Amino acid sequence: MEILSQNRSHGGVQGVYSHASQETGTEMTFSVFVPPHETGAKLPVLWYLSGLTCTHANVTEKGEYRAACAGHGIVFVAPDTSPRGDDVPDAEGEYDFGKGAGFYVDATEEPWAKTYRMRSYIERELPDLIAAEFPVDMQRQAITGHSMGGHGALTIGLRNPNRFRSISAFSPIVAPSRVAWGEKALGRYLGDNRDSWREYDAVALIEDGARHDHILVDQGTADDFLEDQLKTGALAMACAKAGMEPVIRMQEGYDHSYYFISTFLGEHVAWHGERLRG
């Protein structure tokens, strides 16, 4: 692991790091905020997955989470959204596919299969690195994310309910199998067999039996993508049919931007903190 930068913030350290990933075959960059803590302490971890076109830097620079993480003693980890590099295949002129749009899947179709392995990177490789290099208690993990990253947080959390004590999301793509962004990404990364898409679709996972008792979703009512791409109501319906009781908050007048995320991210940190104690 290489240290790219470290800055003092709220009594802790905000760092940006890189390492050579075996899963993606590329150099991967991520950020970690470690709050102030006693020597030898092991702290809970909150993962943040970013959305389309983003890197680790968006939330690191705009998220306004550090004060809350310092107050609740939570390590905040923000990975990238896709592999990067000159040898990584891309879709020129398509913001919603390729670099910056990994959708947190392990691709099976060429030319994407070799490097687009963000599921394995987030679920296995990066956690192992974080556990080895930072003062974390991997028995206390939670996950959140925005938009495509909200999709990632929901699907990864639902597939691993014993690992993540709580799941939250901002403006998540809840049913990618049913919307243009998701159909494009899942079809090209995974192929035409739509059954293989279901493990990357939060609504489908719930329909197929996945359960979690602690889910929080914030969605802005002024979000231009709400009706066509995000479809928050589909998640509410799936949870109701499954007997799940998520907290889904429709935030009046908020859009899809980091102005929205930064307004409520501190509340999400506190909500996760309640579930990560002990």
Side-chain angles (χ1 to χ4, degrees):
M1 187 182 75
E2 180 182 355
I3 300 171
L4 301 182
S5 66
Q6 287 183 328
N7 298 93
R8 195 74 170 167
S9 180
H10 294 279
V13 176
Q14 175 64 67
V16 178
Y17 309 90
S18 69
H19 73 115
S21 167
Q22 293 184 350
E23 288 293 345
T24 68
T26 67
E27 195 77 7
M28 296 294 289
T29 302
F30 60 95
S31 77
V32 180
F33 174 69
V34 179
H37 60 282
E38 295 182 0
T39 301
K42 296 291 187 180
L43 307 178
V45 184
L46 177 58
W47 296 85
Y48 179 93
L49 305 184
S50 295
L52 284 170
T53 75
C54 293
T55 70
H56 70 282
N58 297 76
V59 71
T60 305
E61 296 170 3
K62 302 176 184 178
E64 300 181 22
Y65 55 85
R66 280 172 284 269
C69 286
H72 292 275
I74 296 173
V75 173
F76 190 96
V77 181
D80 203 346
T81 51
S82 75
R84 309 276 177 176
D86 293 340
D87 295 331
V88 175
D90 197 10
E92 190 69 29
E94 299 180 56
Y95 78 95
D96 55 354
F97 191 77
K99 293 180 185 178
F103 272 81
Y104 304 99
V105 306
D106 280 354
T108 57
E109 299 296 298
E110 297 300 335
W112 320 104
K114 182 178 179 181
T115 54
Y116 283 77
R117 296 187 52 79
M118 292 303 295
R119 173 181 178 174
S120 290
Y121 178 72
I122 299 297
E123 287 188 348
R124 293 196 295 271
E125 184 177 17
L126 188 56
D128 288 346
L129 179 64
I130 296 298
E133 298 287 348
F134 295 93
V136 294
D137 177 1
M138 299 302 277
Q139 299 303 310
R140 293 187 290 159
Q141 296 187 66
I143 192 166
T144 187
H146 170 234
S147 193
M148 179 187 72
H151 140 77
L154 288 170
T155 55
I156 291 172
L158 286 166
R159 288 196 305 261
N160 299 278
N162 295 325
R163 178 186 300 184
F164 298 101
R165 294 193 183 183
S166 49
I167 306 166
S168 74
F170 296 87
S171 313
I173 307 169
V174 305
S177 299
R178 308 180 192 179
V179 302
W181 279 347
E183 288 184 321
K184 177 179 182 177
L186 299 181
R188 290 167 71 176
Y189 287 139
L190 303 175
D192 295 333
N193 181 2
R194 297 176 75 96
D195 287 342
S196 69
W197 302 5
R198 296 185 69 81
E199 61 187 316
Y200 297 109
D201 183 309
V203 168
L205 282 166
I206 294 168
E207 291 173 347
D208 292 345
R211 299 290 182 268
H212 204 289
D213 292 332
H214 302 286
I215 297 176
L216 168 65
V217 173
D218 271 324
Q219 172 63 59
T221 61
D223 191 323
D224 290 339
F225 304 114
L226 175 57
E227 296 301 324
D228 292 337
Q229 305 286 5
L230 307 179
K231 297 191 178 297
T232 310
L235 177 66
M237 291 178 60
C239 288
K241 290 180 181 178
M244 296 167 60
E245 298 181 353
V247 178
I248 299 178
R249 310 188 302 187
M250 301 302 295
Q251 301 290 3
E252 187 66 31
Y254 284 91
D255 57 20
H256 201 72
S257 71
Y258 267 88
Y259 294 109
F260 166 52
I261 298 166
S262 63
T263 300
F264 297 102
L265 187 49
E267 291 184 19
H268 281 234
V269 170
W271 181 84
H272 287 293
E274 293 175 1
R275 288 148 184 82
L276 289 168
R277 293 191 184 101

